Coordinates of all heavy atoms in Angstrom, one line a residue:
L1 N 105.6 68.4 113.0 CA 106.9 67.8 112.8 C 107.9 68.9 112.7 O 107.6 69.9 112.0 CB 106.8 67.0 111.5 CG 108.0 66.2 111.0 CD1 108.3 65.1 112.1 CD2 107.7 65.5 109.7
N2 N 109.0 68.8 113.4 CA 110.0 69.8 113.3 C 111.0 69.5 112.2 O 111.8 68.6 112.2 CB 110.8 69.9 114.6 CG 111.7 71.1 114.7 OD1 111.9 71.8 113.7 ND2 112.2 71.4 115.8
L3 N 111.0 70.3 111.1 CA 111.8 70.1 109.9 C 113.1 70.9 110.0 O 113.9 70.9 109.0 CB 111.0 70.4 108.7 CG 109.8 69.5 108.4 CD1 109.1 70.0 107.2 CD2 110.2 68.0 108.3
A4 N 113.4 71.6 111.1 CA 114.7 72.3 111.1 C 115.8 71.4 111.0 O 115.9 70.4 111.7 CB 114.7 73.1 112.5
G5 N 116.7 71.7 110.0 CA 117.9 70.9 109.8 C 117.7 69.6 108.9 O 118.6 68.9 108.6
I6 N 116.4 69.4 108.5 CA 116.1 68.2 107.7 C 116.3 68.6 106.2 O 115.8 69.6 105.7 CB 114.7 67.8 107.9 CG1 114.4 67.4 109.4 CG2 114.4 66.6 107.0 CD1 115.3 66.3 109.9
E7 N 117.2 67.9 105.5 CA 117.5 68.2 104.2 C 117.0 67.2 103.1 O 116.9 67.6 101.9 CB 119.0 68.2 104.0 CG 119.7 69.4 104.8 CD 121.2 69.5 104.7 OE1 121.7 68.8 103.8 OE2 121.8 70.3 105.4
S8 N 116.6 66.0 103.5 CA 116.1 65.0 102.6 C 115.2 64.0 103.2 O 115.1 64.0 104.5 CB 117.3 64.3 101.9 OG 118.0 63.5 102.9
V9 N 114.5 63.3 102.4 CA 113.6 62.2 102.9 C 113.9 60.9 102.1 O 114.4 61.0 101.0 CB 112.1 62.6 102.8 CG1 111.8 63.7 103.7 CG2 111.7 62.9 101.4
L10 N 113.7 59.8 102.8 CA 113.8 58.5 102.1 C 112.4 57.9 102.3 O 111.8 57.8 103.4 CB 114.8 57.6 102.8 CG 115.1 56.3 102.2 CD1 115.6 56.4 100.8 CD2 116.1 55.5 103.1
V11 N 111.8 57.6 101.1 CA 110.4 57.0 101.1 C 110.5 55.6 100.6 O 111.1 55.3 99.6 CB 109.5 57.9 100.1 CG1 108.1 57.3 100.0 CG2 109.5 59.3 100.6
R12 N 109.8 54.7 101.4 CA 109.7 53.3 100.9 C 108.3 53.1 100.4 O 107.3 53.2 101.1 CB 110.0 52.4 102.1 CG 110.0 50.9 101.7 CD 110.5 50.0 102.8 NE 109.9 48.7 102.8 CZ 110.4 47.7 102.1 NH1 111.5 47.9 101.4 NH2 109.9 46.5 102.2
A13 N 108.2 52.9 99.1 CA 106.9 52.9 98.4 C 107.0 52.1 97.1 O 108.1 51.7 96.7 CB 106.5 54.3 98.0
G14 N 105.8 51.8 96.6 CA 105.7 51.0 95.3 C 104.4 51.2 94.7 O 103.4 51.7 95.3
G15 N 104.3 50.8 93.4 CA 103.0 50.9 92.7 C 102.6 49.5 92.3 O 103.4 48.8 91.7
I16 N 101.4 49.1 92.6 CA 100.9 47.8 92.3 C 100.8 47.6 90.7 O 101.4 46.7 90.2 CB 99.6 47.4 92.9 CG1 99.8 47.3 94.4 CG2 99.0 46.2 92.4 CD1 98.6 47.1 95.3
D17 N 100.1 48.5 90.1 CA 99.8 48.3 88.7 C 100.4 49.4 87.8 O 100.7 49.2 86.7 CB 98.4 48.1 88.4 CG 97.5 49.2 89.0 OD1 98.0 50.0 89.7 OD2 96.3 49.1 88.8
K18 N 100.4 50.6 88.3 CA 100.9 51.8 87.6 C 101.8 52.6 88.6 O 101.7 52.4 89.8 CB 99.8 52.6 87.1 CG 98.9 51.9 86.1 CD 97.8 52.8 85.6 CE 97.0 52.1 84.5 NZ 95.9 52.9 84.0
G19 N 102.6 53.4 88.0 CA 103.4 54.3 88.8 C 102.6 55.6 89.2 O 101.4 55.7 89.0
G20 N 103.3 56.5 89.8 CA 102.7 57.7 90.2 C 103.7 58.5 91.0 O 104.9 58.3 90.8
R21 N 103.2 59.3 91.9 CA 104.2 60.0 92.8 C 103.5 60.3 94.2 O 102.3 60.4 94.2 CB 104.7 61.3 92.2 CG 103.8 62.4 92.0 CD 104.5 63.6 91.4 NE 103.6 64.7 91.3 CZ 102.7 65.0 90.3 NH1 102.6 64.2 89.3 NH2 102.0 66.1 90.4
F22 N 104.3 60.5 95.2 CA 103.9 61.0 96.4 C 104.4 62.4 96.6 O 105.6 62.6 96.3 CB 104.4 60.1 97.6 CG 103.6 58.8 97.8 CD1 104.2 57.6 97.5 CD2 102.3 58.9 98.3 CE1 103.5 56.4 97.7 CE2 101.6 57.7 98.5 CZ 102.2 56.5 98.2
E23 N 103.6 63.3 97.0 CA 104.0 64.6 97.3 C 103.9 64.9 98.8 O 102.9 64.5 99.5 CB 103.2 65.7 96.6 CG 103.2 65.6 95.1 CD 102.3 66.6 94.4 OE1 101.4 67.1 95.1 OE2 102.5 66.7 93.2
L24 N 104.9 65.5 99.4 CA 104.9 66.0 100.8 C 104.6 67.5 100.7 O 105.4 68.2 100.1 CB 106.2 65.7 101.5 CG 106.3 64.2 102.1 CD1 106.3 63.2 101.0 CD2 107.6 64.1 102.9
R25 N 103.6 67.9 101.4 CA 103.2 69.3 101.3 C 103.0 69.9 102.7 O 102.7 69.2 103.6 CB 101.9 69.5 100.5 CG 102.0 69.1 99.1 CD 100.9 69.5 98.2 NE 101.2 69.4 96.8 CZ 101.6 70.4 96.1 NH1 101.8 71.6 96.6 NH2 101.9 70.2 94.8
H26 N 103.3 71.2 102.7 CA 103.2 72.0 104.0 C 101.7 72.3 104.4 O 101.0 73.0 103.7 CB 103.9 73.3 103.8 CG 103.8 74.3 104.9 ND1 104.5 74.1 106.1 CD2 103.1 75.4 105.1 CE1 104.2 75.1 107.0 NE2 103.4 75.9 106.3
G27 N 101.3 71.6 105.5 CA 100.0 72.0 106.1 C 98.7 71.4 105.5 O 97.8 71.2 106.2
S28 N 98.7 71.3 104.2 CA 97.4 70.8 103.6 C 97.7 70.2 102.2 O 98.8 70.4 101.7 CB 96.5 72.0 103.4 OG 96.9 72.8 102.4
P29 N 96.8 69.5 101.6 CA 97.0 68.9 100.2 C 97.4 70.0 99.2 O 98.0 69.6 98.2 CB 95.7 68.3 99.9 CG 95.0 68.0 101.2 CD 95.5 69.1 102.1
K30 N 97.1 71.2 99.4 CA 97.4 72.3 98.4 C 98.5 73.2 98.9 O 98.8 74.2 98.3 CB 96.2 73.1 98.0 CG 95.1 72.2 97.3 CD 94.0 73.0 96.8 CE 93.1 72.1 96.0 NZ 92.2 72.8 95.1
G31 N 99.1 72.8 100.0 CA 100.2 73.6 100.6 C 101.5 73.6 99.8 O 101.6 72.9 98.8
K32 N 102.4 74.4 100.2 CA 103.7 74.5 99.5 C 104.4 73.2 99.4 O 104.4 72.4 100.4 CB 104.6 75.5 100.3 CG 105.9 75.9 99.5 CD 106.7 76.9 100.3 CE 106.1 78.3 99.9 NZ 107.0 79.3 100.5
L33 N 104.9 72.8 98.2 CA 105.5 71.5 98.0 C 106.8 71.4 98.7 O 107.7 72.3 98.6 CB 105.8 71.3 96.5 CG 106.3 70.0 96.1 CD1 105.3 68.9 96.4 CD2 106.7 70.0 94.6
L34 N 107.0 70.4 99.5 CA 108.2 70.1 100.3 C 109.1 69.1 99.6 O 110.3 69.2 99.5 CB 107.9 69.6 101.7 CG 107.1 70.5 102.6 CD1 106.7 69.8 103.9 CD2 107.9 71.8 102.9
A35 N 108.4 68.1 99.0 CA 109.2 67.1 98.2 C 108.2 66.3 97.3 O 107.0 66.2 97.6 CB 109.8 66.1 99.2
S36 N 108.8 65.7 96.3 CA 108.0 64.9 95.3 C 108.8 63.7 95.0 O 110.0 63.8 94.7 CB 107.7 65.7 94.1 OG 106.9 64.9 93.2
V37 N 108.2 62.5 95.1 CA 108.9 61.3 94.9 C 108.2 60.5 93.8 O 107.0 60.1 94.0 CB 109.0 60.4 96.2 CG1 109.7 59.1 95.9 CG2 109.6 61.2 97.3
K38 N 108.9 60.2 92.7 CA 108.3 59.4 91.6 C 108.4 57.9 92.0 O 109.4 57.4 92.5 CB 109.1 59.6 90.3 CG 108.5 58.9 89.2 CD 109.2 59.3 87.9 CE 108.6 58.6 86.7 NZ 109.3 58.9 85.5
V39 N 107.2 57.2 91.9 CA 107.1 55.8 92.2 C 106.8 55.0 91.0 O 105.9 55.3 90.2 CB 105.9 55.6 93.3 CG1 105.8 54.1 93.6 CG2 106.2 56.5 94.5
K40 N 107.7 54.0 90.7 CA 107.5 53.1 89.6 C 106.7 51.9 90.0 O 106.6 51.5 91.1 CB 108.9 52.6 89.1 CG 109.7 53.8 88.6 CD 111.1 53.2 88.1 CE 111.9 54.4 87.6 NZ 113.2 53.9 87.2
P41 N 106.0 51.2 89.0 CA 105.3 50.0 89.3 C 106.3 48.9 89.8 O 107.4 48.7 89.2 CB 104.7 49.5 87.9 CG 104.8 50.8 87.1 CD 105.9 51.6 87.6
T42 N 106.0 48.3 90.9 CA 106.9 47.3 91.5 C 106.2 45.9 91.7 O 106.8 45.0 92.0 CB 107.3 47.8 92.9 OG1 106.2 48.0 93.7 CG2 108.2 49.0 92.8
G43 N 104.9 45.9 91.6 CA 104.1 44.7 91.8 C 103.6 44.7 93.2 O 104.0 45.4 94.1
E44 N 102.6 43.8 93.4 CA 101.9 43.8 94.7 C 102.9 43.4 95.9 O 103.6 42.4 95.8 CB 100.8 42.8 94.7 CG 99.9 42.8 95.9 CD 98.6 42.1 95.7 OE1 98.3 41.7 94.6 OE2 98.0 41.8 96.7
G45 N 102.9 44.1 96.9 CA 103.7 43.8 98.1 C 105.2 44.1 98.0 O 106.0 43.8 98.8
E46 N 105.6 44.7 96.9 CA 107.0 45.1 96.6 C 107.2 46.6 96.8 O 106.4 47.4 96.4 CB 107.4 44.7 95.2 CG 107.3 43.2 95.0 CD 108.3 42.4 95.8 OE1 109.4 42.8 96.0 OE2 107.9 41.3 96.3
F47 N 108.3 47.0 97.4 CA 108.6 48.4 97.7 C 110.1 48.7 97.3 O 110.9 47.8 97.3 CB 108.4 48.7 99.1 CG 107.0 48.5 99.6 CD1 106.6 47.3 100.2 CD2 106.1 49.5 99.5 CE1 105.3 47.2 100.7 CE2 104.8 49.4 100.0 CZ 104.4 48.2 100.5
L48 N 110.3 49.9 97.0 CA 111.7 50.5 96.7 C 111.9 51.6 97.7 O 111.0 52.3 98.1 CB 111.8 51.0 95.3 CG 111.6 50.0 94.2 CD1 111.5 50.8 92.8 CD2 112.7 49.0 94.2
E49 N 113.2 51.8 98.1 CA 113.5 53.0 98.9 C 114.0 54.1 98.0 O 114.9 54.0 97.2 CB 114.7 52.6 99.9 CG 114.2 51.6 100.9 CD 115.2 51.3 102.0 OE1 116.3 51.9 102.0 OE2 114.9 50.4 102.8
L50 N 113.2 55.2 98.0 CA 113.4 56.3 97.1 C 113.8 57.6 97.8 O 113.0 58.2 98.5 CB 112.0 56.5 96.3 CG 111.4 55.3 95.7 CD1 110.0 55.5 95.4 CD2 112.2 54.8 94.5
P51 N 115.0 58.0 97.5 CA 115.5 59.3 98.2 C 115.1 60.5 97.4 O 115.0 60.5 96.2 CB 117.0 59.1 98.2 CG 117.3 58.3 97.0 CD 116.1 57.4 96.8
T52 N 114.9 61.6 98.1 CA 114.7 62.9 97.4 C 115.1 64.1 98.4 O 115.1 63.9 99.6 CB 113.2 63.1 96.9 OG1 113.2 64.2 96.1 CG2 112.3 63.2 98.1
K53 N 115.4 65.2 97.8 CA 115.7 66.4 98.6 C 114.4 67.0 99.2 O 113.4 67.0 98.5 CB 116.5 67.4 97.8 CG 117.8 67.0 97.3 CD 118.8 67.1 98.5 CE 120.2 66.7 98.0 NZ 121.1 66.5 99.1
L54 N 114.5 67.7 100.3 CA 113.4 68.4 100.9 C 113.6 69.9 100.6 O 114.7 70.4 100.8 CB 113.4 68.1 102.4 CG 112.2 68.4 103.2 CD1 111.0 67.5 102.7 CD2 112.4 68.2 104.7
K55 N 112.6 70.6 100.2 CA 112.6 72.0 99.8 C 111.6 72.7 100.7 O 110.6 72.2 101.2 CB 112.2 72.2 98.4 CG 113.1 71.5 97.4 CD 112.6 71.7 96.0 CE 111.5 70.6 95.8 NZ 111.0 70.5 94.4
N56 N 111.9 74.0 101.0 CA 111.0 74.9 101.7 C 110.7 74.4 103.1 O 109.6 74.7 103.7 CB 109.6 75.0 100.9 CG 109.8 75.5 99.5 OD1 110.5 76.5 99.3 ND2 109.2 74.9 98.6
A57 N 111.6 73.6 103.7 CA 111.4 73.1 105.0 C 111.8 74.1 106.1 O 113.0 74.5 106.1 CB 112.1 71.7 105.2
K58 N 110.9 74.4 107.0 CA 111.3 75.3 108.1 C 110.6 74.9 109.4 O 109.4 74.8 109.4 CB 110.8 76.8 107.7 CG 111.5 77.3 106.5 CD 110.9 78.7 106.1 CE 111.5 79.1 104.8 NZ 110.8 80.3 104.3
N59 N 111.3 74.7 110.4 CA 110.8 74.5 111.7 C 109.6 73.6 111.8 O 109.5 72.6 111.1 CB 110.6 75.9 112.4 CG 111.9 76.7 112.5 OD1 112.9 76.2 112.7 ND2 111.8 78.0 112.2
L60 N 108.7 74.0 112.7 CA 107.5 73.1 113.0 C 106.4 73.3 111.9 O 106.1 74.4 111.5 CB 106.8 73.5 114.3 CG 107.6 73.1 115.5 CD1 106.9 73.7 116.8 CD2 107.7 71.6 115.6
T61 N 105.9 72.2 111.4 CA 104.9 72.2 110.3 C 104.1 70.9 110.4 O 104.6 69.9 110.8 CB 105.5 72.4 108.9 OG1 104.4 72.6 108.0 CG2 106.3 71.3 108.5
D62 N 102.9 70.9 109.9 CA 102.2 69.7 109.6 C 102.6 69.3 108.2 O 102.6 70.1 107.3 CB 100.6 70.0 109.6 CG 100.1 70.2 111.0 OD1 100.7 69.7 112.0 OD2 99.2 71.0 111.2
V63 N 102.8 68.0 108.0 CA 103.2 67.5 106.7 C 102.0 66.7 106.2 O 101.6 65.7 106.8 CB 104.5 66.7 106.7 CG1 104.8 66.0 105.4 CG2 105.7 67.5 107.2
C64 N 101.6 67.0 105.0 CA 100.5 66.3 104.3 C 101.1 65.5 103.2 O 101.8 66.0 102.4 CB 99.4 67.3 103.8 SG 98.0 66.5 103.1
V65 N 100.8 64.2 103.2 CA 101.2 63.3 102.1 C 100.1 63.1 101.1 O 99.0 62.7 101.4 CB 101.6 61.9 102.6 CG1 102.1 61.0 101.5 CG2 102.7 62.1 103.7
V66 N 100.4 63.4 99.8 CA 99.4 63.4 98.7 C 99.8 62.4 97.7 O 101.0 62.4 97.2 CB 99.2 64.8 98.1 CG1 98.2 64.7 96.9 CG2 98.8 65.8 99.1
A67 N 99.0 61.4 97.4 CA 99.3 60.4 96.3 C 98.7 60.9 95.0 O 97.5 61.2 94.9 CB 98.7 59.1 96.7
K68 N 99.5 60.8 94.0 CA 99.0 61.2 92.6 C 99.3 60.0 91.7 O 100.4 59.6 91.5 CB 99.8 62.4 92.1 CG 99.8 63.6 92.9 CD 98.7 64.5 92.5 CE 98.7 65.8 93.3 NZ 98.0 66.9 92.6
T69 N 98.2 59.3 91.3 CA 98.3 58.1 90.5 C 97.0 57.8 89.8 O 95.9 58.3 90.2 CB 98.7 56.9 91.3 OG1 98.9 55.8 90.5 CG2 97.7 56.6 92.4
K70 N 97.0 57.0 88.8 CA 95.8 56.4 88.1 C 95.7 55.0 88.5 O 94.8 54.3 88.0 CB 95.9 56.6 86.6 CG 95.9 58.1 86.2 CD 95.7 58.3 84.7 CE 95.9 59.7 84.4 NZ 94.9 60.5 84.2
G71 N 96.5 54.5 89.4 CA 96.5 53.1 89.8 C 96.5 53.0 91.3 O 95.8 53.8 91.9
V72 N 97.2 52.1 91.8 CA 97.3 51.9 93.3 C 98.7 52.0 93.8 O 99.6 51.3 93.2 CB 96.8 50.5 93.7 CG1 96.9 50.3 95.2 CG2 95.3 50.3 93.3
L73 N 99.0 53.0 94.7 CA 100.3 53.1 95.3 C 100.3 52.6 96.7 O 99.3 52.7 97.4 CB 100.7 54.6 95.3 CG 100.9 55.3 94.0 CD1 101.3 56.8 94.2 CD2 102.0 54.6 93.2
G74 N 101.5 52.1 97.1 CA 101.6 51.7 98.5 C 102.7 52.5 99.1 O 103.8 52.7 98.5
L75 N 102.5 52.9 100.4 CA 103.5 53.7 101.1 C 103.8 52.9 102.4 O 102.9 52.6 103.2 CB 102.9 55.1 101.5 CG 103.8 56.0 102.4 CD1 105.2 56.3 101.7 CD2 103.1 57.2 102.7
N76 N 105.0 52.5 102.6 CA 105.4 51.7 103.7 C 105.9 52.6 104.9 O 105.5 52.5 106.0 CB 106.5 50.7 103.3 CG 106.8 49.7 104.4 OD1 108.0 49.6 104.7 ND2 105.8 49.0 104.8
W77 N 106.8 53.6 104.5 CA 107.3 54.5 105.6 C 108.0 55.7 104.9 O 108.4 55.7 103.7 CB 108.2 53.9 106.6 CG 109.3 53.0 106.1 CD1 109.3 51.6 106.2 CD2 110.6 53.4 105.5 NE1 110.5 51.1 105.6 CE2 111.3 52.2 105.3 CE3 111.2 54.6 105.2 CZ2 112.6 52.2 104.7 CZ3 112.5 54.6 104.7 CH2 113.1 53.4 104.4
I78 N 108.2 56.8 105.7 CA 109.0 57.9 105.3 C 110.0 58.2 106.4 O 109.6 58.3 107.6 CB 108.1 59.2 105.1 CG1 107.0 58.9 104.0 CG2 108.9 60.4 104.7 CD1 106.0 60.0 103.9
E79 N 111.2 58.4 106.0 CA 112.3 58.7 107.0 C 112.8 60.1 106.6 O 113.2 60.4 105.5 CB 113.4 57.7 106.9 CG 114.6 58.0 107.8 CD 115.7 56.9 107.7 OE1 115.5 55.8 107.1 OE2 116.8 57.2 108.2
F80 N 112.8 61.0 107.6 CA 113.4 62.4 107.4 C 114.8 62.4 107.9 O 115.1 61.9 109.0 CB 112.5 63.3 108.3 CG 111.1 63.4 107.8 CD1 110.1 62.5 108.1 CD2 110.7 64.5 106.9 CE1 108.8 62.6 107.7 CE2 109.4 64.6 106.4 CZ 108.5 63.6 106.8
K81 N 115.7 62.9 107.0 CA 117.1 62.8 107.3 C 117.8 64.2 107.3 O 117.4 65.1 106.5 CB 117.8 62.0 106.2 CG 117.2 60.6 106.1 CD 117.9 59.8 105.0 CE 118.6 58.8 105.7 NZ 119.4 57.9 104.9
E82 N 118.8 64.3 108.1 CA 119.6 65.6 108.2 C 120.6 65.6 107.2 O 121.0 64.7 106.6 CB 120.3 65.7 109.6 CG 119.3 65.8 110.7 CD 119.9 65.9 112.1 OE1 120.8 65.1 112.4 OE2 119.6 66.9 112.8

């Protein structure tokens, strides 16, 4: 994914029973943190659009999405924005 000029992301996500967060990381699950999005419980099949700034983004990279939760998170889509 070419992240040159990308400044933020919009994540459509929700938590069925508990909240948590999605992390976008550079190259691997332990790579440099690009963005972190806090997800609140929304109920089954419900999603919110959650904006956040992108950090450490440079040119071409593999982006790894990591879910951190003690419940169930749903991820509908991620939009990368200039």
Side-chain angles (χ1 to χ4, degrees):
L1 186 61
N2 189 351
L3 296 178
I6 303 298
E7 295 182 7
S8 65
V9 293
L10 185 62
V11 177
R12 183 170 154 88
I16 291 179
D17 51 356
K18 295 183 179 181
R21 72 180 184 273
F22 282 109
E23 296 177 347
L24 278 62
R25 293 192 167 267
H26 173 75
S28 74
K30 295 189 179 197
K32 190 176 275 190
L33 184 66
L34 299 171
S36 181
V37 179
K38 186 174 180 181
V39 180
K40 295 180 181 177
T42 56
E44 189 170 348
E46 299 294 322
F47 297 94
L48 299 171
E49 292 183 7
L50 308 165
T52 191
K53 295 283 183 191
L54 198 62
K55 302 174 275 187
N56 304 311
K58 297 175 187 168
N59 301 323
L60 290 174
T61 187
D62 291 328
V63 175
C64 183
V65 179
V66 179
K68 303 269 185 159
T69 184
K70 294 189 190 263
V72 177
L73 293 178
L75 175 63
N76 190 236
W77 49 255
I78 300 172
E79 180 179 344
F80 294 84
K81 303 181 111 185
E82 295 182 307

